[in-house]
């Protein structure tokens, strides 16, 4: 939700900021802007539309300056427009913001009473005016920022510039992410690592309630009272090239194809193949602790929620521990029925999703231990958890989540086998069978991906349909939900995921030749049941696309189209069956000409409620 970049150093700031904004465009892409401090004064440019529109605007001018701020927006307050785009300015103060200021109406009224005039409909503009107001009362830039942020309620990551203090930028973090990169005679801060990685691998993830005063040669860290804090950057061993397209047409396609590698990286050093053991020592999930756990509770949003739903089947089967799964935005406002015998597992690719973060804070307050499955190292959810298992899937840039999902599933298998063994629910022999199955998955995925042509052919046949129904049973039900989500979010085609056994309770009324029904029909305990559901749809002249691993002709004869999945233990099928559904959604979207990596109205990291 909005991306921020700030640069101060010896190089031209503009290209560095524009490059950073392009790398953060996945966070929001309805408008963008830059503010550069030049010898001739401040140059401020804002443009509705994508970063390329801003580049078109600033490309016509020479803007030389070594200090600047940039912003790419996902609108919360005020529609996307040039006026509402950031940076916002009040006198000598310039601000970029990610988050929501909840008390902006009151503050705006007070500031209006003090003679301030507002040019935008945003909550952000009041921050610039508030700081200006304090400076006008005689406070220094730093003290004015401290005084102002203490008046704000809500979530805010801020980049702040004061044209009369050209040697410094101030960054503030409260409930929205911000990372500082430490360079050689230059420093850069941004909402996420990809904007920083081309310049330095030494970074510091700011904590909530902290302020950084950043010059070209120094970073000073303060809390909101102004007391100094230690500054300890860490080295992050990540190659910036992993955040580039590498010959693929879209990040989404690249990330789908990265899945064999991503899941291998999730297993690395944790799945000990020779010993047939799972080692999760890094997460500190000791046997004694696990013995005390009577319930497990997943909290997550979107695709990560679907990983949690799948996790319920896996963990209940492998551990015998009852599992609840909650959408984080619902959970955070419930009276949670959990305590110190509950393990709350938060799943979040970004580790910054506001609702998931609020959910773990609530669970913690009620005495639950928190384990998080995150992809982004040192992200807020990871830092606030008692235990963390990183998926190590590499940066996921496409707004539609793909490799994050499959690597989250791998993390869940590892956790489930580890718990199952620790509490004596599964034997060494059974664990060894599970481990043998897990290690085959990367190559099975490789083979699946080689069949992209078959999916392209399917996409051609169905790309113009305007409604889809996705059906699965048992562990394939969350796969149906995830397949439908992928299609709707990137192609804007209406798609509904449903448990196949439920269709006679309503959705079967929709069946006709215009609405393809996608079945995920894998071998296992409900195979005969889903076959009956396919028959029911067929009997109503439905148009059936099946994803099946049965190898026999029954399903194929009933289907208008089918795709053959590899055979595997039913418990592990989701990780294979989701991949062709990701590809189907991708190719349908490409054929319909949508903006695959940056679908309308969405943003990668939902850091506002
Ligand atoms: C869908 C998608 C979203 C995210 C959701 C949670 O493709 O990307 O539904 O899964 O916003 O994000 P994280 O996992 O970062 O908490």
């Amino acid at each position: 939700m909005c991306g921020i970049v700030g640069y101060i150093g010896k190089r031209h700031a503009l290209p560095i900021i524009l490059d950073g904004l392009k790398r953060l465009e996945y966070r929001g892409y309805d408008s963008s802007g830059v503010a550069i401090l030049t010898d001739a004064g401040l140059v401020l440019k804002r443009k509705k539309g994508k970063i390329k529109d801003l580049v078109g605007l600033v490309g016509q001018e020479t803007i030389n300056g070594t200090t600047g701020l940039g912003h790419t927006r996902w609108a919360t307050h005020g529609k996307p427009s040039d006026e509402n785009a950031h940076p916002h300015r009040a006198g000598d103060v310039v601000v970029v913001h990610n988050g929501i200021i909840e008390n902006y109406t009151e503050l705006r009224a007070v500031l209006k009473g003090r003679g301030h005039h507002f040019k935008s409909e945003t909550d952000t503009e009041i921050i610039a005016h508030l700081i200006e107001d304090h400076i006008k009362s005689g406070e220094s830039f730093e003290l004015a920022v401290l005084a102002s942020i203490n008046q704000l309620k809500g979530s805010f990551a801020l980049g702040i510039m004061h044209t009369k203090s050209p040697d410094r930028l101030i960054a503030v973090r409260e409930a929205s992410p911000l990372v500082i990169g430490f360079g050689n005679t230059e420093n850069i801060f941004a909402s996420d690592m990809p904007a920083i990685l081309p310049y330095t691998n030494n970074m510091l993830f700011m904590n909530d309630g902290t302020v950084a005063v950043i010059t070209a040669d120094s970073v000073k860290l303060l809390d909101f009272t102004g007391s100094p804090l230690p500054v300890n950057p860490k080295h992050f061993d990540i190659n910036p090239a992993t955040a580039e397209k590498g010959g693929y047409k879209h990040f989404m396609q690249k990330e789908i194809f990265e899945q064999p590698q991503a899941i291998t990286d999730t297993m690395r050093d944790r799945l000990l193949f020779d010993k047939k053991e799972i080692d999760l020592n890094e997460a500190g999930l000791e046997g004694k602790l696990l013995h005390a756990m009577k319930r497990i509770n997943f909290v997550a949003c979107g695709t990560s929620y679907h990983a949690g739903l799948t996790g319920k089947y896996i963990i209940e089967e492998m551990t015998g521990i009852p599992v609840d799964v909650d959408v984080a935005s619902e959970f955070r406002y419930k009276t949670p029925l959990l305590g110190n015998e509950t393990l709350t597992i938060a799943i979040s690719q970004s580790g910054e999703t506001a609702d998931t973060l609020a959910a773990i804070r609530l669970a913690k307050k009620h005495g639950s231990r928190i384990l998080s499955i995150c992809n982004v190292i040192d992200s807020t959810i990871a830092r606030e958890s008692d235990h963390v298992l990183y998926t190590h899937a590499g940066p996921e840039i496409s707004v539609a989540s793909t490799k994050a999902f499959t690597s989250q599933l791998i993390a869940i298998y590892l956790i489930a086998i580890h718990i199952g063994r620790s509490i004596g629910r599964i034997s060494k022999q059974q664990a060894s069978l599970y481990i043998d199955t897990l290690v085959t998955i990367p190559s099975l995925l490789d083979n699946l991906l080689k069949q992209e042509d078959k999916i392209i052919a399917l996409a051609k046949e169905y790309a113009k349909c305007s409604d889809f129904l996705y059906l699965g049973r048992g562990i394939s039900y969350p796969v149906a939900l995830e397949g439908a989500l992928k299609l709707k979010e990137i192609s804007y085609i209406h798609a509904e995921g449903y448990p196949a056994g439920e269709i006679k309770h309503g959705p079967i009324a929709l069946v006709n030749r215009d609405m393809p029904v996608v079945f995920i029909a894998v071998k296992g305990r409900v195979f005969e049941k889903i076959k009956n559901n396919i028959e029911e749809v067929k009997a109503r002249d439905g148009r059936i696309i099946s994803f099946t691993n049965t190898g026999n002709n029954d399903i194929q004869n009933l289907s208008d189209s089918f795709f053959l999945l590899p055979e595997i233990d039913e418990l592990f099928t989701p990780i294979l069956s989701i991949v062709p559904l990701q590809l189907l959604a991708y190719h349908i979207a490409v054929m319909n000409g949508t903006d695959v990596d940056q679908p309308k109205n969405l943003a990668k990291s939902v850091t506002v409620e």
Side-chain angles (χ1 to χ4, degrees), residues 283-284 364 368-372 381-388:
K364 223 180 197 180
S368 173
R369 289 196 85 79
I370 313 292
L371 162 65
S372 60
I381 291 173
R383 280 182 289 140
E384 294 202 12
S385 301
D386 302 301
H387 313 271
V388 188

Side-chain angles (χ1 to χ4, degrees), residues 15-35:
I16 293 174
I17 290 170
L18 289 176
D19 179 59
L21 291 181
K22 276 187 217 145
R23 291 170 196 274
L24 295 185
E25 198 172 18
Y26 68 86
R27 298 181 62 86
Y29 33 83
D30 59 47
S31 50
S32 57
V34 287

Side-chain angles (χ1 to χ4, degrees), residues 44-45 75 92 95 138 148 153 170 187 234 240 242 257 319 335 389 402 408 411 474 501 507 512 522 540 606:
L44 200 150
K45 298 281 173 189
D92 300 324
V95 171
S148 303
K153 286 197 188 121
I170 296 185
N187 289 309
K234 284 191 205 164
T242 54
F257 276 81
T319 72
T335 305
L389 201 64
T402 53
Q408 287 162 352
N512 62 32
V522 295
R540 284 152 187 88
V606 185

Side-chain angles (χ1 to χ4, degrees), residues 4-21 24 33-38 42 63-71 87 96 158-162 165-171 178-191 195-200 213-219:
I4 289 176
V5 186
Y7 174 85
I8 184 159
K10 306 277 181 264
R11 297 193 247 183
H12 286 310
L14 183 64
I16 293 174
I17 290 170
L18 289 176
D19 179 59
L21 291 181
L24 295 185
V34 287
I36 307 289
L37 214 46
T38 71
L42 184 80
I63 305 172
N64 291 334
T66 58
T67 304
L69 294 173
H71 187 271
V96 289
L158 304 173
I160 312 165
M161 181 194 270
H162 179 225
S165 313
D167 66 330
R168 63 197 53 211
L169 292 172
I170 296 185
L178 216 46
V179 192
I180 304 171
F182 294 69
N184 187 11
T185 64
E186 63 183 356
N187 289 309
I188 179 165
F189 63 90
S191 302
I196 296 176
L197 276 172
Y199 310 101
T200 175
V213 182
I214 303 170
T215 70
D217 315 292
S218 68
V219 174

Side-chain angles (χ1 to χ4, degrees), residues 209-402:
T210 58
V211 178
V213 182
I214 303 170
T215 70
D217 315 292
S218 68
V219 174
K220 184 168 80 172
L221 217 53
L222 309 168
D223 66 17
F224 276 17
T225 68
S227 301
L229 296 166
V231 180
N232 297 316
K234 284 191 205 164
H235 184 82
F236 287 83
D237 205 6
I238 300 173
N239 179 352
T242 54
E244 283 161 17
K245 278 190 207 150
Y248 286 93
K249 195 164 173 207
H250 297 98
F251 278 111
M252 181 176 179
Q253 190 186 27
K254 175 183 176 238
E255 287 158 10
I256 290 173
F257 276 81
E258 277 174 351
Q259 289 180 107
Q261 185 60 50
I263 63 169
T264 304
D265 291 342
T266 312
M267 290 190 243
R268 179 162 295 120
D269 297 334
R270 295 158 172 175
L271 186 154
L272 311 180
F273 185 67
D274 294 339
K275 292 193 193 163
K276 302 283 187 214
E277 278 174 12
I278 302 294
D279 179 349
L280 296 186
N281 281 342
E282 65 188 281
L285 292 167
E286 292 149 13
K288 202 171 140 214
L289 181 122
L290 296 171
H291 269 287
M293 292 303 152
K294 301 287 175 259
R295 278 199 99 71
I296 289 175
N297 186 30
F298 280 109
V299 288
C301 301
T303 290
S304 297
Y305 168 68
H306 295 155
L309 285 177
T310 319
K312 176 177 167 69
Y313 290 87
I314 298 165
I315 292 187
E316 288 187 344
E317 187 68 33
M318 292 188 179
T319 72
I321 300 175
V323 178
D324 296 314
V325 192
D326 279 288
V327 169
S329 56
E330 290 296 320
F331 178 87
R332 63 180 293 189
Y333 295 112
K334 292 201 314 191
T335 305
L337 301 175
L338 39 76
N340 58 10
E341 292 186 338
T342 316
L343 178 66
T344 297
I345 308 183
I347 310 178
S348 177
Q349 187 286 128
S350 61
E352 301 293 347
T353 300
D355 286 319
T356 310
L357 181 58
I360 64 164
R361 286 178 177 162
L362 181 70
K364 223 180 197 180
K365 220 165 100 189
H366 283 75
S368 173
R369 289 196 85 79
I370 313 292
L371 162 65
S372 60
I373 299 173
C374 291
N375 193 35
V376 177
I377 311 273
D378 249 13
S379 50
T380 312
I381 291 173
R383 280 182 289 140
E384 294 202 12
S385 301
D386 302 301
H387 313 271
V388 188
L389 201 64
Y390 288 112
T391 44
H392 297 309
E396 191 180 65
I397 308 293
S398 166
V399 165
S401 195
T402 53

